[in-house]
Amino acid sequence: MKFIKFLLGLTTLTASTIGFAQNSSEKEWQQVYDAREAIYEKNIGKLPNDIMKAPNLFGIWPGGGFYVIPADKIKKGLWVYSTFGFTNSDMPSTVTATEIEVEHDNQGRVISSSSKLEKKSETIPLSGKAGHGYEVLMIAKENAEWPLWFMQWTGNIVLLNDVDLLARVEKNNGLTVEAIPVGNDENDTINVLITKAQKPLPTDIKLPNGNMQLLVATVITDEEMEWSIENGRDALLKKLMDANIGQISDRNRPSVLK
């Protein structure tokens, strides 16, 4: 659970400073970034000037980070928390980070960070896909800290543990994950259902470097979690859509099964 420490020290940078890896040309990288930005601003909302980056991912994800976006294009009052860079032209990374050390002050701010970069023994080519082929979103009714814990968890499992979320979603018609930490208290956790984006979000996206899918993580109750295991993740998504909850996360809502 070491990643919890890193989340508390998310660093905010201006988008122009995020950089790109050497296995991608600057021109190509910028074209992909600009195309993705245009899609987000058309369908979700205007990107803020600052992007948040996790110190433990600096070396392997130099051009990526997390955005908190006022989602006015979906519905006023909603917020989208999103990875932004899984589909970069320099992804998947050919290196991984080990011996990660991050030092914080007493307010949780990063003082220093270091890690050792090691070349991966194998990088699986993703034919036809833009980088990893997807970005991950969470849509919430509040501007809060807890969704950022989820985004940090996502960054770690994809970039440090090489988990292909899109492949798992496609294989199982959705993916459920139980008890993801979203706070300092060990009991502060969420369950999520991860599925492909539903309308009004775009469902088939083409970037200059390949195809991109949006995956949306929706907070679900313990009861819904258990029900989906027996009845299917796609069946749970249908119930959420029919109940007009859709893919919006609300930690305080009642179960759709009651």
Side-chain angles (χ1 to χ4, degrees):
M1 308 308 291
K2 195 173 182 181
F3 70 87
I4 294 176
K5 296 179 182 178
F6 301 141
L7 176 67
L8 299 179
L10 280 174
T11 300
T12 303
L13 299 173
T14 58
S16 62
T17 66
I18 58 181
F20 62 96
Q22 292 304 308
N23 60 327
S24 172
S25 72
E26 182 175 3
K27 181 179 179 180
E28 179 188 21
W29 190 95
Q30 193 63 53
Q31 287 174 338
V32 172
Y33 185 97
D34 291 345
R36 188 174 58 240
E37 179 181 29
I39 290 165
Y40 269 63
E41 296 200 343
K42 178 181 178 181
N43 296 281
I44 297 173
K46 184 173 177 56
L47 298 186
N49 292 328
D50 298 332
I51 190 168
M52 285 173 280
K53 297 178 69 67
N56 63 314
L57 301 177
F58 278 170
I60 59 177
W61 201 28
F66 310 108
Y67 273 125
V68 181
I69 310 166
D72 296 341
K73 294 298 178 68
I74 300 176
K75 183 180 178 181
K76 286 195 177 295
L78 295 180
W79 295 82
V80 161
Y81 302 78
S82 181
T83 63
F84 203 80
F86 284 171
T87 53
N88 281 350
S89 58
D90 55 5
M91 291 285 110
S93 178
T94 58
V95 298
T96 189
T98 62
E99 301 179 23
I100 301 168
E101 295 184 5
V102 181
E103 184 180 356
H104 302 84
D105 63 17
N106 56 12
Q107 296 182 10
R109 295 173 298 193
V110 174
I111 298 174
S112 64
S113 65
S114 64
S115 63
K116 179 181 179 181
L117 296 182
E118 295 182 354
K119 190 170 182 62
K120 291 181 179 179
S121 58
E122 182 179 3
T123 302
I124 300 174
L126 301 173
S127 177
K129 295 182 180 179
H132 288 276
Y134 59 93
E135 301 289 347
V136 181
L137 281 62
M138 178 171 279
I139 309 168
K141 294 182 176 181
E142 56 185 332
N143 185 359
E145 183 179 286
W146 66 265
L148 291 171
W149 288 72
F150 171 76
M151 301 316 301
Q152 172 75 355
W153 174 87
T154 302
N156 286 343
I157 65 166
V158 172
L159 299 170
L160 295 180
N161 297 324
D162 294 321
V163 174
D164 188 341
L165 289 176
L166 178 58
R168 297 193 182 195
V169 166
E170 291 180 335
K171 180 180 179 180
N172 301 292
N173 293 317
L175 176 68
T176 50
V177 187
E178 186 176 16
I180 299 172
V182 289
N184 287 313
D185 188 329
E186 63 181 13
N187 295 317
D188 193 4
T189 63
I190 59 172
N191 308 321
V192 298
L193 169 68
I194 303 175
T195 52
K196 290 184 178 180
Q198 304 294 303
K199 293 182 178 180
L201 288 171
T203 54
D204 293 299
I205 303 168
K206 294 190 181 298
L207 296 178
N209 58 331
N211 298 322
M212 178 179 86
Q213 182 70 234
L214 295 179
L215 298 181
V216 181
T218 307
V219 173
I220 57 175
T221 67
D222 291 342
E223 184 182 10
E224 291 165 353
M225 178 85 184
E226 293 300 321
W227 188 89
S228 72
I229 294 173
E230 294 293 328
N231 297 276
R233 281 78 176 177
D234 52 344
L236 176 58
L237 176 61
K238 185 177 186 305
K239 281 192 173 290
L240 292 170
M241 299 299 290
D242 290 346
N244 293 320
I245 293 167
Q247 295 178 296
I248 297 174
S249 291
D250 180 355
R251 298 179 71 186
N252 299 313
R253 69 169 177 82
S255 170
V256 295
L257 304 175
K258 295 180 179 179

